[in-house]
Amino acid sequence: MIWLIGNKGMLGNDVEKLLKERELIYWASDKEVDIGDYKALEKFGKDKKIKWIINCSGYTDVDKAEEEIDEAFRINEDGVRNIALFSAKRQIRLIHISTDYVFDGRQEGTPSYSEDDKTNPINIYGKSKLAGEEEIKKILEKYFIIRTAWLYGLQGNNFVYTMIRLFKERDLVKVVEDQWGSPTYTMDLTGAILKTMEDDSVSYGIYHFTNESITNWYEFAMTIYKKAKRLGLIESNKKVEIKPIKTEDYPTAARRPKYSVLSKEKIKKVFDLKLRDWDKALEDFLVSLRDNREDLESRVEK
Ligand SMILES: NC(=O)c1ccc[n+]([C@@H]2O[C@H](COP(=O)([O-])OP(=O)(O)OC[C@H]3O[C@@H](n4cnc5c(N)ncnc54)[C@H](OP(=O)(O)O)[C@@H]3O)[C@@H](O)[C@H]2O)c1
């Protein structure tokens, strides 16, 4: 009934976990069924009764995309077009994940972005993701595009793991303080994705989903440090100075929006969802790492 694309990625892994837990019938694929190849999609989907596709796959390396422009567009635009075409042909409803990087970022303290706000990506990744959104809108009527931001979860590289590793290795960690957003725990987003399906919703369109409340990378890092220390994920006698720096002092290949906070009013209202604050979700994630030490060690230790 469900085809989960990108099940080996950070988000896809948690989506698969919840599909299993809820005993839903699904098929799953990742890179072995290349979304850039329409024939590969047809071959995999042949003879399968599919009602929903959840697409968690994508080209997600924001900095590398500045060099690998063709590959970023091959996956995030052409691949998404293929999924949309396949969905249209087979009358499948599509849930696709997109990003806050379709926006250029506003001044700090200005209102958060609603789904109808003007997009204007400032890096290749954002441009390729927006191109994918446009393909879906052109081809399909029955779609949900869920834009999210600052994702972290058990599987894959993410900011939380990077910070814990640096806190173990270094005495000084510098973190950017002038980029604002809302972190998102993959488990929380997964809950929203499954709610869309379980409601059998026909309220198609674009939605925004992150955890609640706004922060910057520096404050996010400080909170990870304090919580990780309290939970024993970092040695209690290890002192680390965390220093706020400006974006100019931390050059990266891709430019990033300064203030890309997404408004969640629409998704909360339509799906009657209650969203948690990012620090509550982070606490849950860190507790699960404490209770499954081997997950943390395999991600953080070299
Ligand atoms: N991570 C974030 O902070 C963030 C923020 C906003 C939005 N998003 C969006 O959320 C979604 C999930 O992100 P994520 O962080 O979970 O991504 P991820 O961990 O990079 O997972 C993506 C998966 O897609 C696979 N994939 C790549 N190319 C493919 C292809 N041609 N055909 C089939 N599968 C392919 C990847 O395989 P390989 O790993 O082998 O390449 C990987 O397993 C993406 O759409 C992303 O754009 C992420």
Side-chain angles (χ1 to χ4, degrees):
M1 291 295 262
I2 301 160
W3 181 4
L4 168 62
I5 302 181
N7 71 319
K8 297 199 179 92
M10 182 166 69
L11 177 64
N13 201 268
D14 278 351
V15 171
E16 180 161 21
K17 220 183 292 166
L18 214 62
L19 289 174
K20 266 193 199 140
E21 243 174 69
R22 303 214 176 149
E23 298 180 354
L24 293 163
I25 303 164
Y26 70 94
W27 293 274
S29 67
D30 200 84
K31 251 191 162 154
E32 71 284 1
V33 182
D34 179 5
I35 63 166
D37 175 2
Y38 183 77
K39 287 206 178 93
L41 294 182
E42 284 224 306
K43 191 170 166 216
F44 185 88
K46 196 170 168 266
D47 302 329
K48 293 187 175 75
K49 253 193 169 169
I50 301 162
K51 190 172 166 194
W52 290 90
I53 286 180
I54 306 173
N55 178 30
C56 297
S57 72
Y59 183 106
T60 58
D61 192 324
V62 177
D63 287 313
K64 229 182 187 177
E66 297 297 311
E67 272 177 36
E68 297 185 344
I69 301 172
D70 290 349
E71 185 61 1
F73 277 90
R74 191 187 77 83
I75 298 171
N76 291 343
E77 181 181 30
D78 302 348
V80 173
R81 181 194 309 119
N82 288 338
I83 293 173
L85 287 171
F86 181 76
S87 303
K89 189 171 170 195
R90 298 276 298 266
Q91 298 193 326
I92 293 166
R93 290 147 82 179
L94 173 64
I95 302 176
H96 171 74
I97 311 301
S98 192
T99 171
D100 59 325
Y101 282 10
V102 297
F103 297 114
D104 54 10
R106 289 175 164 158
Q107 286 302 308
E108 193 185 316
T110 47
S112 44
Y113 282 108
S114 77
E115 288 77 358
D116 303 326
D117 277 332
K118 192 176 169 298
T119 51
N120 183 32
I122 57 172
N123 57 40
I124 296 295
Y125 167 74
K127 285 179 186 166
S128 67
K129 292 293 290 184
L130 181 62
E133 288 189 8
E134 298 299 339
E135 291 297 327
I136 292 174
K137 290 195 312 198
K138 253 191 281 175
I139 296 164
L140 284 175
E141 276 166 23
K142 296 181 177 176
Y143 67 84
F144 297 90
I145 294 171
I146 306 180
R147 294 185 185 134
T148 189
W150 295 27
L151 265 189
Y152 64 87
L154 208 56
Q155 183 83 19
N157 297 319
N158 59 61
F159 184 77
V160 181
Y161 284 136
T162 304
M163 285 301 117
I164 295 176
R165 193 182 66 243
L166 293 178
F167 297 151
K168 283 171 180 280
E169 288 171 0
R170 297 186 189 174
D171 300 324
L172 172 67
V173 176
K174 296 177 186 173
V175 189
V176 168
E177 64 158 358
D178 56 355
Q179 287 172 28
W180 298 81
S182 306
T184 309
Y185 183 19
T186 45
M187 283 310 281
D188 291 30
L189 174 56
T190 295
I193 293 171
L194 261 64
K195 180 86 168 45
T196 314
M197 266 180 359
E198 285 173 343
D199 281 6
D200 214 14
S201 174
V202 290
S203 303
Y204 303 111
I206 300 182
Y207 290 88
H208 289 171
F209 184 97
T210 63
N211 280 121
E212 291 279 28
S213 297
I214 301 164
T215 189
N216 59 54
W217 292 112
Y218 166 73
E219 191 184 60
F220 189 19
M222 285 293 283
T223 311
I224 295 165
Y225 179 66
K226 285 183 198 151
K227 286 182 188 289
K229 209 151 194 197
R230 179 166 45 74
L231 291 165
L233 300 173
I234 308 165
E235 282 174 38
S236 57
N237 58 358
K238 176 80 172 40
K239 290 256 179 318
V240 182
E241 185 192 347
I242 306 170
K243 201 175 159 209
I245 56 167
K246 301 285 178 210
T247 300
E248 303 86 87
D249 302 321
Y250 187 76
T252 51
R255 277 176 68 208
R256 284 159 169 80
K258 287 245 163 174
Y259 187 89
S260 56
V261 179
L262 302 176
S263 163
K264 280 82 66 183
E265 291 315 304
K266 184 177 170 190
I267 203 162
K268 286 197 282 192
K269 204 167 146 208
V270 174
F271 295 104
D272 194 22
L273 283 176
K274 298 215 172 10
L275 274 50
R276 299 195 281 183
D277 273 352
W278 66 266
D279 63 330
K280 297 254 166 22
L282 174 66
E283 176 87 19
D284 246 25
F285 176 60
L286 295 175
V287 166
S288 76
L289 289 184
R290 181 197 60 189
D291 297 343
N292 299 283
R293 282 298 269 241
E294 60 286 3
D295 283 328
L296 177 67
E297 270 142 36
S298 66
R299 298 274 153 206
V300 163
E301 318 261 307
K302 287 199 175 137

